[in-house]
Structure formats: C-alpha cells, structure tokens
Amino acid sequence: MDSKLSEKVLAALDQFRIELPSWGFANTGTRFGKYLQAAAASTTEEKLSDAGQVHRVTGACPTVALHVSWDFPNGLEDARAVEKWAQCFGVSPGAINPNLFQDQVYKYGSLGNPEETVRTHALEHCLESVAIARSLRSRDLSLWFADGSNYPGTANIRQRKRWFEDGLSALHQELDPAQRLLVEYKPFEPAFYHTDIADWGMALHLARVAGSQAKVLVDTGHHYAAQNIEQIVAWLLDEGMLGGFHFNDRRYADDDLTLGSIDPYQVFRIFHEIRFFEWESGAQADVAYTIDQSHNLKGKIEAMIQTVTMAQQLFAKAALIDYERLIAAQEASDLIRAESCLQDAFAADVRPAIKEWRTSKKLPADPLDAFRQSGYLERVTAERRARNSDPASSYA
Ligand code: RM4
Ligand code: MN
Ligand code: MN
C-alpha cells in the first residue's frame, strides 16, 4: 500500500473508538438455554476487568456500556463502585442501558403497558438510569424496549404509541444539556405480533417527539434480512438523527454474532455512508459505535478482540474510498467506475497499515496473540470455574 493510503488508514484509526458491552463478557444464551463458559464474567467488576483486557491490547475501546439491572443491582448506590472498578481496569463507563424487559411487571410492556403503575415504574427506572449516567458522566442513555404483543387485537397500538410519546418526552426533560437519549428499534422478539418500536421510522418519530437530545440507535441485527441498512444510516445522518450503533452480525434474525463474520461488506457499506457524509460535510459524524453481541460459543474476550480488530479493518478500508473520484463517477452515471471505488477500497489489504498504527501507539501488533500470551484467560478460568458451573437464570 502506498504511503498516502496508509496515512489515511492511520488517521482513520486515530479517530475510531468502539464501546464494549459489559453483557458481552457474561454467560448469555438462547431461549433454549446457556452453555456456560468457565471464564465468563459474572460480576460487574469481572466484566470491567475483561473489558480492560480488550482495551489494553487494542487501544480502541476506552468505554464500556452498562446495563442497569445487571451492573447496578442496587441502582445509583452502585455507581461509585462501578466507577472505581472501571478506573482500576483502565476503562470508563459508557452508555447506560435501563433494563425494561426482565422484571415480571413488564410482562405486558413497560412504557407501553396498559397499567399506569407499570408505566410509572418503567419511567422511574429510566429516571434512575439518568441519575446513574449523570453520576458517572456518561453521555448516553440507551433505550431498547421489548414492548409489544403476540396476538392480533390484544393491544391498542395507537394508544401505546402515545404512551411512548409521553414517557419519552417526560424522560427527555430530565436530561442534562449534554446527555442524549438513544432510541433503539427491533422488528420482533420477544414480541411476535407487533413491537411498539419496530423500525427506524418509529424510532425517528419518537426521538423527534421526545426532544432535541434524542437520536436513533441502529442495531445492525434488528432488521429484516433484505433491508438496506446503509440507506437507513444515510437518511438518519442527513436528518441529523443518527445517534449510534449496536454492532453485531447475523444470518437469520437478531443472532448477535461477531461483527463481519457473515457479511463484512455490509459493515463496510455502513462505514462508507458515514465517511461519505463526513467528507461532504467536513465534520466528524457524532455517532457512538458500540458492540452488542452474545458470545454463546466463542470465548468471550477473544470474540471481543476479534470483533474490534474486524471493525478497525472495515473502518480503515472505508477510509480508502476516493470520494472525489466517486462523485465524478456518480455525476457521470459511470456505474462501474463508481462501484469500483467501493470495491477497490474493500479489496485493499489494510492489515500492514493497521500493524504500523499499533506499533506507533505501543500496542501489540497482534492483539489476539498478545492476549493469549498474557495468561489472563488461564488465571480467570481457574478463579471463576466453580461459580460458573451453577447456571443462573438471568440473561447476562
Ligand atoms: C436486545 C437489544 C438490546 C440489548 C438486549 C440485551 O435485542 O439489542 O440493545 O440490550 O438485546
Ligand atoms: Mn442492541
Ligand atoms: Mn438485539
């Protein structure tokens, strides 16, 4: 690769940060059960410790997204301890995710529940999450609602929409000026007939109604198989409404597989839309990149390192697209030349330039190998084995 191109890769990697999900280090499973891993983290301290390892070898993951019910079992009271562990393991708290799907009261929904007491309970949980975010100086409150119904006629869809509008607006009023609400959408699961926030149009509507600090969060697994995700990304960018991503890959539904394992060109096309927007607007897109994966079979820390490495590669490839050339080809409707701008960048081997970037930052040239050599996995496997032989009931 010539030096002009490798400079582009180095500059892109300097700007690329991706947040780790605390729940990605825990034993998670499918609705059929969990295969337990001896090394899985079960406390927040362990999750942050594992995240710290990923950041140590990649240098690209300084923050960790946290799930309130799993990481703050005593709510706000736990914030100081979480802050201390994060600091101790060299990471910072990232997005705060309220948990609005696990408590028994949420059987018929949270903000969309027909019972007012449950809607109030859900809002209070969100408000406490804002307080946690404030106390940890976290910018984003990241909301995913499992609300929906399983059978036609069983829910008042329009009424529930209005309950969501009211709840999110009330929540938005409690934000500090620099905080954001990210509204995630998902077409189905756990609800199988209707989901209250099923797609990006619904999330966009609710974010607009909630207030100016609310944006849309795109989870790459939360689309129908043939949907053009990068077009959604382009539209949200153009509307100033793209808040962030949950990255994962999938073959069928919300499979939460490691990024780029099935379709790396999909992720590249998303990065292309972002880079194209940045090139045209001259400003860096204010978008939070976060991983949201469930490592049922792969070793959790290794799967995370693999994901970060893949994300860096695909982001670096997108940074090689020649936008002047692309625009000229688009304007001339020279389809093959335009398409090859993307294909050439995707085909480039960016790995040597990425190694160069790592070395210049005093990071290991091969993060996975460095992790394997470190002995960390053997140590935590021995320490955690006994606890992990006892299947717990919660998702993470
Ligand atoms: C959902 C969604 C949320 C995540 C939960 C665990 O499908 O992706 O973002 O918090 O799973
Ligand atoms: Mn998600
Ligand atoms: Mn999901």
Side-chain angles (χ1 to χ4, degrees):
M1 176 171 296
D2 74 34
S3 66
K4 233 180 92 202
L5 290 186
S6 69
E7 260 165 47
K8 282 189 177 181
V9 170
L10 302 190
L13 293 180
D14 276 345
Q15 110 184 37
F16 186 71
R17 296 288 173 273
I18 190 160
E19 185 160 305
L20 303 170
S22 71
W23 57 97
F25 297 101
N27 270 319
T28 48
T30 69
R31 64 199 166 102
F32 301 105
K34 293 179 186 179
Y35 290 111
L36 302 177
Q37 294 188 21
S42 37
T43 63
T44 310
E45 181 181 1
E46 289 173 354
K47 294 173 194 172
L48 288 165
S49 169
D50 294 358
Q53 291 298 309
V54 178
H55 183 46
R56 189 180 63 78
V57 295
T58 61
C61 313
T63 56
V64 183
L66 298 156
H67 236 288
V68 175
S69 303
W70 301 328
D71 297 320
F72 301 84
N74 308 303
L76 186 57
E77 244 175 70
D78 290 330
R80 290 289 71 81
V82 170
E83 185 174 45
K84 194 191 77 198
W85 290 322
Q87 200 179 17
C88 161
F89 299 120
V91 286
S92 305
I96 301 299
N97 294 246
N99 187 313
L100 297 151
F101 48 89
Q102 205 168 268
D103 289 2
Q104 292 300 314
V105 288
Y106 298 137
K107 184 169 179 186
Y108 300 116
S110 61
L111 285 189
N113 196 298
E115 258 187 61
E116 193 182 352
T117 51
V118 180
R119 295 199 301 277
T120 307
H121 179 82
L123 184 59
E124 275 164 8
H125 176 69
C126 291
L127 293 176
E128 180 169 30
S129 305
V130 171
I132 292 173
R134 182 178 297 124
S135 100
L136 292 170
R137 292 173 298 281
S138 289
R139 184 187 188 203
D140 293 336
L141 194 78
S142 195
L143 299 163
W144 172 65
F145 295 93
D147 290 52
S149 66
N150 278 4
Y151 298 97
T154 60
N156 184 336
I157 292 173
R158 281 176 295 109
Q159 173 66 76
R160 290 169 71 103
K161 165 180 167 281
R162 293 195 296 270
W163 281 327
F164 267 95
E165 292 169 352
D166 295 346
L168 292 175
S169 305
L171 178 56
H172 191 282
Q173 282 184 4
E174 298 303 313
L175 296 178
D176 290 344
Q179 286 185 313
R180 304 192 305 172
L181 277 191
L182 302 184
V183 183
E184 184 172 353
Y185 56 91
K186 174 169 171 169
F188 70 94
E189 194 203 23
F192 293 118
Y193 169 63
H194 106 282
T195 295
D196 285 294
I197 312 182
D199 66 23
W200 72 281
M202 298 177 199
L204 176 64
H205 168 78
L206 289 172
R208 283 197 166 134
V209 169
S212 61
Q213 291 157 241
K215 307 281 169 202
V216 177
L217 184 137
V218 175
D219 182 314
T220 48
H222 293 189
H223 301 89
Y224 293 114
Q227 215 161 356
N228 185 332
I229 303 174
E230 62 270 26
Q231 182 181 8
I232 296 171
V233 169
W235 275 57
L236 289 173
L237 280 168
D238 204 55
E239 291 295 313
M241 291 300 285
L242 180 65
F245 286 93
H246 275 178
F247 277 124
N248 50 63
D249 213 338
R250 60 88 183 272
R251 183 67 185 83
Y252 300 102
D254 187 26
D255 307 339
D256 282 342
L257 300 176
T258 46
L259 183 75
S261 56
I262 306 292
D263 187 358
Y265 197 43
Q266 164 70 84
V267 187
F268 170 85
R269 295 192 306 267
I270 289 174
F271 286 145
H272 152 61
E273 288 301 337
I274 295 168
R275 300 288 308 188
F276 195 13
F277 166 85
E278 291 180 338
W279 187 84
E280 280 190 339
S281 66
Q284 198 175 321
D286 186 9
V287 174
Y289 299 121
T290 303
I291 296 167
D292 183 8
Q293 294 178 171
S294 175
H295 310 122
N296 302 337
L297 303 177
K298 284 179 175 173
K300 292 159 201 305
I301 304 173
E302 294 190 355
M304 212 64 93
I305 295 170
Q306 185 189 33
T307 299
V308 176
T309 305
M310 176 60 79
Q312 286 179 313
Q313 278 181 37
L314 295 167
F315 193 77
K317 282 171 188 277
L320 298 180
I321 298 170
D322 182 339
Y323 285 111
E324 261 158 45
R325 200 165 155 239
L326 180 71
I327 286 193
Q330 286 183 348
E331 281 170 358
S333 291
D334 185 340
L335 310 189
I336 290 179
R337 198 149 70 95
E339 188 188 15
S340 50
C341 287
L342 268 65
Q343 290 178 333
D344 289 348
F346 186 65
D349 184 3
V350 291
R351 289 171 299 182
I354 295 178
K355 271 197 178 140
E356 196 188 308
W357 178 81
R358 290 188 181 127
T359 315
S360 77
K361 305 282 172 205
K362 302 200 168 34
L363 291 163
D366 181 340
L368 188 61
D369 185 59
F371 174 69
R372 287 189 169 170
Q373 303 290 329
S374 71
Y376 180 88
L377 189 60
E378 290 74 7
R379 178 166 69 74
V380 298
T381 305
E383 284 169 10
R384 299 174 186 174
R385 184 181 294 284
R387 223 174 336 121
N388 279 328
S389 58
D390 178 20
S393 59
S394 99
Y395 175 77

